[in-house]
Amino acid sequence: CAYDLGALERIHQKYAGQDVKIVGLVYNSGTRDEVASFLSELGVEFPTLMCSSEVRDAYDVSTFPTTFLLDGKKQIRYWMYGHLVEKHWSQLVAELLDEAERVAD
């Protein structure tokens, strides 16, 4: 969990100022204050929300961590259960940004 949060924070920082938003969802991991303290200790600055069972069920999340990458139309383009590979996910974000730029031209 700590590694993935750090990787997502680095991606968040790398693409700051571009059309990329990293949002974390926490499910059943303690109180809001406990979660906020944990994230602060790790230096996580992207917004993180408490997730309900309805949201978890809507996205069929049964394994943690689960990572989703949505495009500009908020459609899920990639997802992965388990720990993410930072270089791979950073590349996927770059590809979606390139694609969005080509479509806009």
Side-chain angles (χ1 to χ4, degrees):
C1 183
Y3 172 80
D4 285 339
L5 289 169
L8 289 171
E9 179 60 29
R10 287 185 293 277
I11 292 170
H12 169 72
Q13 295 296 328
K14 179 177 181 177
Y15 294 101
Q18 297 184 48
D19 197 17
V20 174
K21 307 290 185 270
I22 304 287
V23 178
L25 297 174
V26 176
Y27 180 76
N28 201 21
S29 295
T31 67
R32 289 180 192 272
D33 289 340
E34 291 168 336
V35 170
S37 177
F38 177 69
L39 295 172
S40 178
E41 288 174 20
L42 294 175
V44 172
E45 296 180 6
F46 59 83
T48 303
L49 310 170
M50 301 299 280
C51 180
S52 67
S53 58
E54 292 83 11
V55 172
R56 185 200 67 205
D57 292 345
Y59 286 94
D60 195 28
V61 175
S62 60
T63 303
F64 294 93
T66 299
T67 306
F68 294 98
L69 181 58
L70 285 67
D71 62 20
K73 296 177 183 174
K74 299 180 179 133
Q75 300 296 310
I76 297 172
R77 295 289 294 271
Y78 306 103
W79 59 269
M80 186 178 87
Y81 294 132
H83 298 285
L84 61 85
V85 177
E86 182 176 351
K87 184 176 179 181
H88 174 72
W89 281 84
S90 187
Q91 180 63 37
L92 291 174
V93 170
E95 289 172 8
L96 278 181
L97 286 170
D98 288 345
E99 179 183 308
E101 187 175 306
R102 286 192 307 273
V103 169
D105 289 338

